[in-house]
């Protein structure tokens, strides 16, 4: 009798657990109605092929949107991260509008590696290698003398340099983000002041506004709700905007990852430094930025012949580096013209001039157009979610217990990014640049994007195919995430991490 009761109890517990998990799983595979209303249309092979043919003949260059670049100013420019995804487009747009190469200085940690900057005027721009996490290195780069033809001109600084560490959220490993993104920003701000800059615009991140998604729903609530009306996971759908900036700063745990914590702090440092002598502000690109083979969004997927994904159904507001760069120049025009501009001292969110797309749109574009092999491997989200907690726990072990460092093998490849923060940054999102799009008279930047996500992504595939002509496999491009790992390794070797971690 007792055995029967226990047996029945165990069986119903198993059944409830199974029902709980399968319901949770179906929520995670769903796309909320609200976001489908904003983004109802999926890309088709037909329109992708047409766009490809059009762009193959007529690539989008700074010339094609020259009328949308704000007019030339009589100024000098320092661009930190000036050969990166956003910084590089800023340099190219400055040159297009007629700023002379000698009035521009790139301050960078990496060697110049963008194909579109290796020839022409961009290749003659002064390139100063610097590590912004060091005040001395930053000051040296800013204090270097200028050609006499431009030395007297007012100075604008575009601060785009940062490290991207996508999914770490533990305070124990916050050091790298703090040293480059926060300390580095302070160093750039100080150096800009010393060099006499009067406008400084930094690249922030839409990630600042993202909240961690909260997977766990109370079993009672989930099990009692009707099957066709399951409850929502908290923060499963988010709006990216600037609202949070006008509220008290969030706590560490209220951000999706350490990267966002550091970008939020850096943004507040930059905006808080605004004064009539040095006007400042930030641009927040939506999620994520693409537009070069080294980007993490499209470039990262292009480089994989087997592409595992659990987020094919996820809707996200991507933004092309070209659009982000233009927003920086729009902002500069406002702040350079008016020392008391009410636009100063705040962030502006920027996204592509079209509704957000779905990851499946991007994957279809790669499958349809890329000449390199690409196979989508669909994974169920829920088990990946469980795995992410294990990966996080495992990677923190050697941090918590240093003696384990020599014993535990390090995780290799993409699996090491599979931490819970990744699920928050790849959840359904909609972004708005309604404030940036307002006219300057109405307190906006007069921003209007020039590249749609479809054109921008297709163009990147055109360029990818040109780079891979006659090759069967993807060349390894360095994405900004792998770059961040390299910096972390270098810093570790120098023993800096130990100090920073404390
Ligand atoms: C637009 O800016 C105002 C402040 O000027 C802010 O209160 C509001 O939240 C912003 N809107 C969005 C959608 O970010």
């Amino acid at each position: 009798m007792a055995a029967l009761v226990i047996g029945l109890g165990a069986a119903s517990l198993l059944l409830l657990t199974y029902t709980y998990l399968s319901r949770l799983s179906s929520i995670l595979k769903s796309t909320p109605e609200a976001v489908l209303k904003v983004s109802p249309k999926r890309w088709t092979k037909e329109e992708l092929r047409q766009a490809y043919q059009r762009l193959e003949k007529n690539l989008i260059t700074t010339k094609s949107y020259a009328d949308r670049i704000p007019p030339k100013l009589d100024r000098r420019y320092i661009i930190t991260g000036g050969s990166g995804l956003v910084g590089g487009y800023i340099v190219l747009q400055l040159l297009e509008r007629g700023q002379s190469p000698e009035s521009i200085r790139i301050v960078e940690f990496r060697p110049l590696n963008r194909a579109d900057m290796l020839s022409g005027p961009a290749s003659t721009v002064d390139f100063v290698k610097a590590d912004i996490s060091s005040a001395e290195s930053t000051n040296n780069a800013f204090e270097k003398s200028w050609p006499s033809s431009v030395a007297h001109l007012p100075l604008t600084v575009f601060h785009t340099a940062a490290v991207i560490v996508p999914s770490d959220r533990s305070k124990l490993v916050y050091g790298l983000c703090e040293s480059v993104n926060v300390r580095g920003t302070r160093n750039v701000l100080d150096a800009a002041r010393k060099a006499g800059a009067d406008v400084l615009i930094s690249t922030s991140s839409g990630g600042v506004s993202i909240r961690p998604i909260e997977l766990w729903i109370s079993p009672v609530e989930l099990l009692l709700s009707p099957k066709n009306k399951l409850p929502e996971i908290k923060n499963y759908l988010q709006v990216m905007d600037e609202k949070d900036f006008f509220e008290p700063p969030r706590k560490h745990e209220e951000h999706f990852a350490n990267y966002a914590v550091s970008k939020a702090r850096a943004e507040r440092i930059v905006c808080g430094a605004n004064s009539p002598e040095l006007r400042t502000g930030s641009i927040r690109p939506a999620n994520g930025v693409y537009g070069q083979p080294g980007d993490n969004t499209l470039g990262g997927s292009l480089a994989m012949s087997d592409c595992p994904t659990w987020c094919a159904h996820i809707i996200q507001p991507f933004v092309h580096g070209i659009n982000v760069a233009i927003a920086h120049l729009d902002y500069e025009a406002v702040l350079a013209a008016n020392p008391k501009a009410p636009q100063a001292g705040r962030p502006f969110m920027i996204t592509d001039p079209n509704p957000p797309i779905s990851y499946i749109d991007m994957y279809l574009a790669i499958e349809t157009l890329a000449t390199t092999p690409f196979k989508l491997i669909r994974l169920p989200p829920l088990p990946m979610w469980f795995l992410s907690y294990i990966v996080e726990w495992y990677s923190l072990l050697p941090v918590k217990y240093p003696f384990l460092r020599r014993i535990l093998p390090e995780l290799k490849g993409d699996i090491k990014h599979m931490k819970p923060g990744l699920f928050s940054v790849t959840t359904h999102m909609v972004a708005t640049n309604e404030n940036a799009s307002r006219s300057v008279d109405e307190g906006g930047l007069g921003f209007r994007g020039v590249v749609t996500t479809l054109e921008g992504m297709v163009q990147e595939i055109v360029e990818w195919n040109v780079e891979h002509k006659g090759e069967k496999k993807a060349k390894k491009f360095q994405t900004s995430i792998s770059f961040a790992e390299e910096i972390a390794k270098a810093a570790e070797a120098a023993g800096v991490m130990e100090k920073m971690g404390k």
Side-chain angles (χ1 to χ4, degrees), residues 239-247 284 342 346-349 432-436 438 442-443:
V239 178
M240 304 182 96
D241 56 23
E242 304 123 26
K243 281 201 183 82
D244 59 282
F245 179 80
F246 301 95
E247 292 160 5
R284 285 186 181 181
R346 60 166 290 172
F348 284 95
M349 176 72 77
T432 169
N433 48 222
E434 77 182 39
N435 277 325
R438 266 185 244 286
E442 288 171 339

Side-chain angles (χ1 to χ4, degrees), residues 21 24-25 28-29 215-216 310 379-391 418 423:
L21 291 178
L24 205 53
S25 164
L28 277 178
K29 288 182 190 161
L215 179 65
W216 309 113
W310 63 87
L379 303 168
L382 191 62
M384 293 298 113
W385 186 287
F386 287 129
L387 185 62
S388 77
Y389 280 92
I390 299 172
V391 169
M418 269 274 313
F423 287 81

Side-chain angles (χ1 to χ4, degrees), residues 196-199 273-279 339:
D198 62 359
V199 174
N274 175 51
S275 72
E277 293 73 43
L278 175 62
R279 280 89 75 193

